[in-house]
Amino acid sequence: MSTITIAIVILAVGAAITLVLLLASSNARRKLSSSIPPAMRPAPADEELEGNHLERMLAWGLVLVLFFAVFLPVYWLREPTRAQDKQEGLFSRSFTTGEELYVANCAECHGADGSGGAAVSPYGSDSWPAPNLLNISARYAESRIVVDIREYIEETLHRGRPGTPMPTWGAAYGGPMTDFQIDAITDWILANQTGEAAEATAAVNAEGQQASGEELYLQNCARCHGAQLEGIVGPSLIGVTERHSDETILGILQNGISITGGGMSMPPWQEGYMYPDTRYDDESLNRIVEYLNAAQPDSLPEDAGQYQTPNVGEPAEPTGGSEADGGEAPDDEPTADPTDDTTEV
């Protein structure tokens, strides 16, 4: 039996005895004076008021003061431990629930252990990379875009990633999961962080040679932006060099793009989005920038200076990996199936 339980029992017993004694004393006086009208009853004598009756009241008051003087400090000294035990119990329940939800909804894309995998592309092309979820904290530790890892994961689960295999899961956005379920999955992901992230390295092709800007673009960007820069789920990159300087394009490749209240619309390529983790150094990313400059048509359309994303219903077939997620979602109702992967975390 805990200290708090014992103290409560003692307090209850003491209160009950005090109440019984007070009632017994009151009944005795009432019996003696029940035949005399209240207004005609004599007042208690000074000896009675200042004698045994007063002493009994003072004694009981002292007992209760001493009891509370011991009980309250003991209770409050144990309160932090009790609160921590309660919190650990809630987290344990949330963790267990999160693991069950992850296995049922996320494991097929992100892997049974969360180390990453692939999802079916909504555009009939190569599979869509599902990133490693076990090193999110390490990957985004110095991010200029993601400042709160937990909020970022929850936002991704709630809203999904429009135009990608990652569906909307939060009930507030039309998904099948409650806030508690989203929190539970987030708890499970954060509790399984390995704390390791790959170093940014030079990009190489299948032959082990330095990958060209075109190879890097087709491998990582064309899935969203189109092999001809025409745009699919990501915006058209025709005229991107008119909209942005080379330094800005490099910064976008490094850090991604965040949309207000909607998480990350484009993954950061220096923070290991791909599976397996791929972190490109600045030299490699600059080759993509050079390719974008070289691939621009001789004459740009009039609206090339405007940010635009074409309809994603019938995209041109892209090749390679993914670079940006921005635009409208395909007509795909989320269900509690394994396409739940946090494809952009």
Side-chain angles (χ1 to χ4, degrees):
M1 186 177 293
S2 67
T3 305
I4 297 178
T5 304
I6 294 174
I8 292 174
V9 170
I10 294 174
L11 176 62
V13 171
I17 292 174
T18 301
L19 182 62
V20 169
L21 291 175
L22 290 174
L23 290 175
S25 176
S26 175
N27 288 335
R29 286 197 302 272
R30 191 159 42 246
K31 288 179 181 178
L32 292 174
S33 60
S34 59
S35 59
I36 303 174
M40 299 179 64
R41 293 172 190 171
D46 291 344
E47 292 77 9
E48 181 182 356
L49 292 175
E50 298 176 2
N52 294 337
H53 179 75
L54 180 60
E55 291 175 358
R56 283 197 305 271
M57 294 300 101
L58 291 174
W60 278 110
L62 178 61
V63 169
L64 292 175
V65 168
L66 292 176
F67 172 78
F68 282 111
V70 175
F71 171 77
L72 290 177
V74 171
Y75 179 85
W76 288 113
L77 285 173
R78 177 167 170 71
E79 179 63 12
T81 303
R82 185 200 66 79
Q84 182 178 353
D85 292 343
K86 181 68 173 179
Q87 189 66 29
E88 290 176 354
L90 292 173
F91 178 80
S92 177
R93 184 183 69 171
S94 179
F95 179 88
T96 302
T97 302
E99 184 176 22
E100 294 172 353
L101 289 167
Y102 176 85
V103 171
N105 300 289
C106 317
E108 183 170 325
C109 296
H110 286 281
D113 61 351
S115 59
V120 177
S121 172
Y123 306 107
S125 59
D126 296 337
S127 59
W128 202 284
N132 185 349
L133 302 180
L134 302 183
N135 59 4
I136 298 175
S137 296
R139 285 192 278 118
Y140 291 115
E142 300 179 0
S143 174
R144 302 177 191 177
I145 303 298
V146 179
V147 295
D148 187 317
I149 300 298
R150 183 179 188 88
E151 180 181 352
Y152 174 57
I153 296 173
E154 289 180 344
E155 195 72 24
T156 301
L157 291 170
H158 275 294
R159 295 176 179 265
R161 287 286 176 259
T164 78
M166 175 66 180
T168 296
W169 289 103
Y173 303 96
M177 289 190 180
T178 64
D179 288 352
F180 171 77
Q181 291 173 315
I182 297 293
D183 288 342
I185 296 177
T186 304
D187 284 340
W188 184 87
I189 292 173
L190 291 176
N192 282 284
Q193 294 299 292
T194 63
E196 299 177 358
E199 295 292 330
T201 58
V204 296
N205 55 26
E207 288 73 33
Q209 301 174 343
Q210 175 178 286
S212 68
E214 181 178 9
E215 289 174 324
L216 289 172
Y217 177 85
L218 293 176
Q219 177 184 347
N220 301 292
C221 315
R223 184 185 308 275
C224 290
H225 294 285
Q228 306 300 322
L229 313 187
E230 72 275 18
I232 303 176
V233 60
S236 168
L237 296 182
I238 296 174
V240 67
T241 54
E242 297 292 318
R243 301 193 295 269
H244 303 296
S245 66
D246 288 355
E247 292 77 12
T248 299
I249 296 173
L250 176 61
I252 292 173
L253 292 172
Q254 291 171 329
N255 302 293
I257 296 177
S258 177
I259 55 178
T260 304
M264 185 84 67
S265 63
M266 172 169 165
W269 291 103
Q270 273 191 350
E271 292 172 2
Y273 170 76
M274 290 287 288
Y275 171 77
D277 294 339
T278 302
R279 307 187 77 185
Y280 295 137
D281 59 16
D282 287 351
E283 182 180 352
S284 301
L285 296 180
N286 270 315
R287 291 201 292 275
I288 298 178
V289 177
E290 293 170 1
Y291 170 74
L292 290 175
N293 277 283
Q296 297 300 311
D298 294 335
S299 60
L300 298 175
E302 293 182 359
D303 57 357
Q306 301 175 359
Y307 181 94
Q308 53 184 309
T309 301
N311 295 328
V312 298
E314 298 180 358
E317 279 208 11
T319 59
S322 158
E323 182 194 302
D325 303 331
E328 297 181 15
D331 188 14
D332 185 17
E333 248 340 276
T335 56
D337 61 32
T339 55
D340 137 293
D341 68 302
T342 316
T343 304
E344 181 111 64
V345 176

